[in-house]
Each structure stands twice: as structure tokens, then as C-alpha cells.
Amino acid sequence: MAKMFKLSFIILHYVALDETKEAVNSIFQKIDLSTSEYAIVIVDNASPNGSGKLLENEYRPYTNVFVIINEENKGFSAGHNCGFKFAKSKLCSRYIVLMNNDILILSNNFYSQIESDYKKYRFAVLGPRVYINDNENGMSNPANIEDYKSARLKIKRWDCRIVLFFNALGIDIYYARLRRWLPDKVRALLKERKSGTKDIEYYSQPHENVLLHGCFWIFSPLYINHFDGLDEVTFMYHEEIILYRKVKSNNMKMVYDPDIKIFHGDHISTNRVCDFARRSRKIRYKRELNSLKALFRYLQIK
């Protein structure tokens, strides 16, 4: 008979060894379950630096840590699905968490809060309050559904084309840095013009039927019993809106709970792009553009 775990964390790993180990350690330190009650599944997406094997050796002595090494980079959804299916079929997990490898759990009552929320909301997917490097108030989740209106997506598509053009000229790094810096500065100016109290209050309250940031999703038995993971529409980027539409079309709920707190090193991973070779950056830009094309077909945007 298969061993049953109350909760399984699926960590999608690629290259960044230290970040993944820190994510695992944060689970060890914060989880309010015994070792026999939860599992950690690390999915290595064919990291070219061999870090998947290093993780496999590192956690071999642990009875509740499993490492899956993919022979090819399957991308975000398909990569996560390798862990999701393993946690569902092999570990018989009651709840499954899909998370980036640059996540640190901050809450001490993680599992008990999930159980409480499931009894209260009967959610399919639950999302936490997300603190990012430059966002000390935790105003990153729920995500902004307005970003997925056709006009904004078309602007995003042009942006991808522009950065690919700049990559050919060898100046995409400077454009990427400027592109990240400007929105931060604009947000800072807006905060100076208004108190921001209303925004903080909004993110301090639970919300139902909202778009949840893709860095950390908690799936309930309601979702797990019906599905084997995510829809593999895109390779990487924009999975949030696809999951949102899937849940909504099946009359299920996505719920945001600010009492569950995590830290997301978003800018750490984003800044790594500028450390990659020009050819590697080009591959990433093309992947995002291809994901946008797939998303346009999925959303029926011309």
C-alpha cells in the first residue's frame, strides 16, 4: 500500500542550486507537520550544470525528499506536472503545492491554515501573501487580471519582439534593466501621491475568485481528484491566466489568504537573465514570445 502524505511540495529546479536548497530548508524549518506527514519533490528540469544530480545526492538520506531528474527541459507546466503526478499517484497527497525554487515560507502554521481555509472556502487553488524584494507590504498577490486583456497582451508581444531585436544588436541587457527600473519608479511615484492605505487593506483581506501568482499554488483534494496537474499550453510564462480560466470553467474557486505568507526572490531570478550569455537570453526571449503566441490562440486573441 502506498504511503499517504498530508502535503507535498513540488519545487521546480533549474540551475540555481543554492536557491533550491534554501527553499527546502525553509520548509523544514516552518512546516507544522512531522517528517512522516509531508513530502518534498524536487523536479530538475534538465539543468545543464548537473545540479539535479547534486540535489539527488544531497537528499538521498531523507525519507520524505524525492528528486526527479528530467532528461529535457519541459518548461513550467509540464515540469511541474512531473512532480504533481508523482505526488498524486505515488505519494497519495491530500494537498499539493507547486512552487518556484526561489521561495521561502514565512508562516509557522502553514498546514493548519490550509486545512482551515479548505473547510471554510472549499477552494480548488489557494494562494498566499507574497513578499518580494522591493515590496515589503506583500502586495503581489492576487495578480492583476487586467494584464491579460488583449490590448496589454499585444503590447507585451511587441515588447518581446523589441527585446529580441536589441538582443541581435547586443544591447538587450540595458533595455531589460531599464524596463524593470521604470515600472518600479512609476509605482514609487504613485505611492507618493496617495496614501496607499486602501491597497494595503485590500491585500490584507482574503479574496475569492481571484487570479493567483504562479510562483506558489496550493491545490486541494477538490482539484487533485479531478486533474493531473496544469494544462500544458505554454512552455514558460503566463500560466496564471490559463489555470484561472480552467478553475473558473469548472465552477471551482481560487482563493487568496494573506495569513499564509511567503517570500519570493523574484528579482533575484530575473536579474540572472543579465548574467546569461547573449545566446541563452535569446532562447529565453523566444520562449516568452512563443508562449504569448500560444496564449493568443488559447484566449482566441487575433
Side-chain angles (χ1 to χ4, degrees):
M1 182 177 177
K3 181 176 177 58
M4 298 182 66
F5 289 92
K6 291 182 178 180
L7 175 66
S8 287
F9 294 89
I10 315 302
I11 302 176
L12 191 61
H13 169 78
Y14 186 76
V15 176
L17 181 64
D18 291 340
E19 279 87 344
T20 297
K21 290 168 70 173
E22 287 176 7
V24 172
N25 288 336
S26 81
I27 296 171
F28 286 159
Q29 293 166 9
K30 293 292 185 178
I31 191 66
D32 51 337
L33 290 171
S34 66
T35 303
S36 62
E37 294 178 308
Y38 75 96
I40 300 172
V41 181
I42 302 170
V43 180
D44 172 56
N45 238 348
S47 298
N49 63 350
S51 52
K53 285 291 184 183
L54 294 176
L55 289 167
E56 188 176 49
N57 293 331
E58 174 90 15
Y59 296 111
R60 186 171 286 115
Y62 294 79
T63 57
N64 67 329
V65 181
F66 307 87
V67 179
I68 298 172
I69 300 178
N70 290 334
E71 294 183 0
E72 61 177 351
N73 187 343
K74 295 178 177 291
F76 184 91
S77 296
H80 268 306
N81 283 349
C82 293
F84 191 102
K85 292 171 185 176
F86 181 83
K88 177 178 177 177
S89 62
K90 302 296 184 182
L91 305 182
C92 303
S93 305
R94 175 169 170 78
Y95 297 98
I96 297 175
V97 174
L98 299 188
M99 59 185 280
N100 287 9
N101 70 328
D102 54 356
I103 296 292
L104 301 177
I105 293 176
L106 303 178
S107 299
N108 291 312
N109 61 337
F110 187 84
Y111 183 78
S112 59
Q113 189 63 46
I114 292 173
E115 281 280 39
S116 175
D117 284 342
Y118 189 54
K119 290 175 183 177
K120 183 176 181 179
Y121 299 107
R122 299 297 293 178
F123 67 84
V125 188
L126 181 67
R129 190 164 189 172
V130 182
Y131 294 85
I132 299 179
N133 303 28
D134 62 346
N135 190 343
E136 59 190 27
N137 292 317
M139 297 190 295
S140 301
N141 214 14
N144 187 5
I145 200 164
E146 297 294 316
D147 289 339
Y148 290 97
K149 287 190 172 181
S150 60
R152 292 197 185 185
L153 286 173
K154 288 176 181 178
I155 291 172
K156 182 64 179 175
R157 182 173 58 182
W158 274 109
D159 183 66
C160 286
R161 290 169 176 168
I162 290 169
V163 77
L164 266 170
F165 173 73
F166 283 149
N167 177 265
L169 300 177
I171 58 173
D172 56 301
I173 288 177
Y174 306 106
Y175 175 74
R177 286 173 177 165
L178 179 66
R179 185 177 56 181
R180 288 198 307 271
W181 178 82
L182 282 176
D184 291 345
K185 295 300 180 182
V186 170
R187 285 198 300 271
L189 287 171
L190 289 174
K191 286 178 182 178
E192 289 176 4
R193 293 177 183 174
K194 62 180 182 180
S195 65
T197 303
K198 183 178 179 181
D199 286 339
I200 294 173
E201 287 179 354
Y202 174 81
Y203 291 102
S204 300
Q205 301 296 323
H207 297 284
E208 299 182 39
N209 300 313
V210 289
L211 182 70
L212 297 173
H213 198 295
C215 67
F216 198 96
W217 286 321
I218 303 162
F219 295 87
S220 77
L222 191 62
Y223 186 98
I224 296 167
N225 291 337
H226 283 82
F227 306 110
D228 289 327
L230 306 173
D231 288 349
E232 298 174 12
V233 177
T234 60
F235 181 85
M236 191 179 296
Y237 307 109
H238 312 300
E239 293 80 10
E240 291 92 344
I241 189 65
I242 297 167
L243 179 61
Y244 173 81
R245 286 170 64 98
K246 177 183 182 126
V247 169
K248 190 174 182 180
S249 65
N250 284 277
N251 297 314
M252 296 178 176
K253 286 196 292 189
M254 299 184 84
V255 174
Y256 164 72
D257 181 5
D259 289 332
I260 301 174
K261 300 176 176 64
I262 66 166
F263 174 81
H264 181 207
D266 183 56
H267 282 203
I268 296 172
S269 56
T270 303
N271 289 338
R272 280 183 181 273
V273 174
C274 296
D275 296 330
F276 292 151
R278 180 173 160 188
R279 185 168 175 269
S280 296
R281 297 198 303 273
K282 181 180 180 180
I283 292 172
R284 285 195 162 209
Y285 301 148
K286 280 190 172 181
R287 281 176 177 168
E288 182 166 10
L289 185 58
N290 288 336
S291 288
L292 279 168
K293 290 177 180 177
L295 185 62
F296 271 53
R297 290 193 296 270
Y298 178 80
L299 298 177
Q300 298 182 336
I301 298 174
K302 295 182 179 180

